[in-house]
Amino acid sequence: PWKESELIQPAELAKQIEAGNAPTIICVTFPFLYRQKHVRAAKYAGPGNKPDGIKDLQALAATLSTDDEVVVYCGCCPMKNCPNIRPAYEMMNDLGFKAVRVLNIPNNMHNDWTAKGYPTDPPQATRSL
């Protein structure tokens, strides 16, 4: 449902994070994947294909301005098959966000982000989600 111009490449987002000027990053994957490793400073909203995940995403979105630049990502599987990213992207647009982008994760989070050494937060084994 997004245009090519609404994708952000991993290298571009990594540079923004390292430079300290990253947009709001929202992770919509499954809890165990977020706990393993996630994009540095990503806020967790829950899986986009679950009613509770969408509810959590709506609550998170309510704390932001619709003018904020927002990047959503999942990374659970190849993006073309991902059950989480489309509902999350569509909901953010339905809420009136003007600058929603999708992190282009064509294969999965490990191959397209972590293995390339892009910035991550450490595992969060003790934190319950």
Side-chain angles (χ1 to χ4, degrees):
W2 47 80
K3 301 173 194 155
E4 189 72 25
S5 63
E6 293 171 309
L7 289 174
I8 185 168
Q9 298 306 316
E12 181 183 346
L13 182 59
K15 284 180 189 173
Q16 290 178 358
I17 292 168
E18 294 291 352
N21 62 350
T24 299
I25 304 166
I26 301 175
C27 180
V28 295
T29 195
F30 301 101
F32 72 94
L33 291 174
Y34 179 83
R35 283 191 300 263
Q36 286 177 358
K37 262 191 191 166
H38 54 270
V39 172
R40 184 179 300 155
K43 299 174 185 302
Y44 184 69
N49 73 333
K50 305 278 186 204
D52 285 347
I54 290 295
K55 185 176 161 186
D56 290 345
L57 181 56
Q58 288 172 323
L60 176 57
T63 69
L64 306 171
S65 166
T66 56
D67 292 325
D68 289 350
E69 182 182 356
V70 175
V71 171
V72 293
Y73 82 95
C74 179
C76 70
C77 62
M79 197 161 75
K80 65 181 177 144
N81 302 326
C82 181
N84 298 310
I85 196 68
R86 284 164 189 76
Y89 168 83
E90 290 169 349
M91 196 215 61
M92 294 299 287
N93 279 289
D94 289 348
L95 291 174
F97 281 80
K98 299 171 186 78
V100 179
R101 296 177 78 192
V102 174
L103 180 58
N104 190 15
I105 303 283
N107 299 298
N108 59 52
M109 182 66 178
H110 175 75
N111 292 342
D112 299 322
W113 188 271
T114 308
K116 294 184 178 190
Y118 295 142
T120 61
D121 280 337
Q124 307 213 342
T126 58
R127 183 174 170 211
S128 64
L129 298 172

